[in-house]
Amino acid sequence: MSGNVRLLSDTLAAAKEEGRSSLIAYLPAGFPTVDGGIEAVKAAIEGGADVVEVGLPHSDPVLDGPVIQTADDIALRGGVRIADVMRTVREAHAATGAPILVMTYWNPIDRYGVERFTAELAEAGGAGCILPDLPVQESALWREHAEKHGLATVFVVAPSSKDERLAEITAAGSGFVYAASLMGVTGTRASVSSQAEDLVWRTRATTDTPVCVGLGVSNPAQAAEVARFADGVIVGSAFVKRMLDAPDDAAGVEAVRALAGELAKGVRGQV
């Protein structure tokens, strides 16, 4: 069975046709529970997200700040497994028809088996993977299997990336390019880094693949700011924080739905 890389590309293109950026939400699988995480992903899409990244909880999440680390810890203590991540993708995609990616560090895939992981993700209807710590020069095996199964390979670029390095990364990736707006970990911030726009333009000079910006976007005004120059706006910690702050799981799901609606207005410049 082939994955949904084409659906991802078509979704990003459709938003561009509407004259706006795509809204990409991030939520970890298994948080607050597996069932609760599935409902949260569905709520994000129903609220206005175009695409969702499902995080594979990891014990050493080097890119993630304290908010997502807290959610990952809750999921891991709850016993979340890769099978639960696949179930989250499968049920969320089946319910919404939206493109769902998995964001994961390389070690869990390496241990699970690249062929097994890509085959199962494609079977679940996944659109691809974001791999923040997989070096491009070591990615040939992954890319071979991802391409075979119709999955996007999304690499992360950073403000520190030199132009030559950007070209190397964008030539190997597919789906979209994840532009980290600043050096550091995920988290909500008072303002979006001024480095983000420069990084988007430098990345665009190397590829026609959409460039989406993440790290630090947490409210509609920031989403509108980033949407001026990026093809997509990625929001993670703000969604997770809404769930952590909610009095119960049902309220957390509704908080995700509400934030998605607010941010969807932001990427449309309706703030």
Side-chain angles (χ1 to χ4, degrees), residues 11 13 63 86 94 100 135 153 171 188 271:
T11 299
L63 186 70
M86 298 299 179
I100 313 287
T153 298
T188 62
V271 294

Side-chain angles (χ1 to χ4, degrees), residues 140-164:
L141 178 66
W142 163 266
R143 287 188 285 124
E144 174 192 340
H145 287 287
E147 190 171 337
K148 180 172 79 171
H149 289 292
L151 299 169
T153 298
V154 179
F155 289 115
V156 178
V157 298
S160 61
S161 302
K162 302 288 191 252
D163 291 350
E164 184 179 334

